[in-house]
Amino acid sequence: MPGDPRSSQPPGDRARPDDGVLAARAAEGDEDAFETLVARHAPALLRLAVRLLDGRTEAEDAVQDAFVSAWRRLPDFQGRAAFGTWMYRIVTNRCLNLLRARRPLTDLGAVAEPTAPDHHSPARAAESRAAAKDLSSALSALSAEQRVCWILREVDGLTYDEIAETVGISGQAARARVFRARRCLTEAMRAWR
């Protein structure tokens, strides 16, 4: 997929070393190689963390912690998965731990919504805000595990196998979590059909 944050080589960037080479160099202590990996993957990982945690500050902390953890664990990185996939898993696990520690979960309705384009009528804008609020409430009602799998599938476009690898579950469990999340969201959004 073009521009895929999990790919080992960004499009149009073939002259530069791929992630595997950079990860090997970083594991040997090359800080510049690791900085290149951070620059390549941080934006996508931050978007993921913001979606999962609903707050930029907490998401930035989670991604920073994930990169610190990755730096320490690089000598153990064996390249069985792409570096980006490995980082997705570290960030996802960090976010899941933070979500599980929350009691109660943060209300997604409190997240600032983007303003409606000018071409919408006030009634349409109000309807859109209400639908977004209901979707946010429905997402917050999902378990942390279902929510992560749904976001990875529906927002980030990962395959079930990639979700399974990222979250550390079987492909069948990933399918089941996405299915249950879709069913809950469909029921919660029934009034908007």
Side-chain angles (χ1 to χ4, degrees):
M1 160 176 4
D4 187 341
R6 295 161 284 134
S7 67
S8 62
Q9 188 72 25
D13 202 14
R14 303 294 179 217
R16 292 177 30 193
D18 72 9
D19 287 355
V21 171
L22 290 170
R25 288 181 188 166
E28 294 170 354
D30 184 340
E31 293 178 15
D32 291 334
F34 190 71
E35 285 180 27
T36 301
L37 289 169
V38 170
R40 283 184 186 174
H41 295 280
L45 295 170
L46 181 59
R47 282 190 302 274
L48 171 66
V50 166
R51 287 184 198 116
L52 294 174
L53 298 174
D54 311 315
R56 186 160 183 92
T57 302
E58 191 175 27
E60 287 172 347
D61 290 344
V63 171
Q64 182 177 5
D65 290 348
F67 276 116
V68 169
S69 176
W71 174 253
R72 290 181 183 140
R73 294 170 42 199
L74 263 174
D76 300 327
F77 177 65
Q78 298 174 0
R80 286 181 292 225
F83 179 82
T85 302
W86 186 58
M87 286 305 305
Y88 252 66
R89 183 171 188 167
I90 294 171
V91 170
T92 299
N93 286 339
R94 178 72 184 131
C95 291
L96 276 172
N97 290 338
L98 291 170
L99 286 169
R100 288 179 187 131
R102 289 181 182 173
R103 296 289 181 243
L105 291 175
T106 302
D107 178 18
L108 290 177
V111 175
E113 298 177 33
T115 58
D118 291 337
H119 65 276
H120 285 271
S121 69
R124 179 75 176 138
E127 185 178 292
S128 293
R129 281 192 300 275
K133 184 177 180 185
D134 285 353
L135 178 59
S136 294
S137 295
L139 280 169
S140 67
L142 296 175
S143 71
E145 291 79 8
Q146 288 175 347
R147 185 172 171 199
V148 165
C149 290
W150 185 85
I151 288 173
L152 290 172
R153 176 70 179 163
E154 302 299 336
V155 178
D156 287 347
L158 271 67
T159 67
Y160 292 111
D161 290 337
E162 290 169 329
I163 294 168
E165 186 175 342
T166 299
V167 180
I169 57 176
S170 70
Q172 187 173 353
R175 285 180 187 279
R177 287 182 186 177
V178 171
F179 174 79
R180 285 192 297 272
R182 284 178 181 157
R183 188 176 58 203
C184 290
L185 293 174
T186 299
E187 183 61 34
M189 299 302 290
R190 188 174 303 279
W192 292 100
R193 287 190 194 170

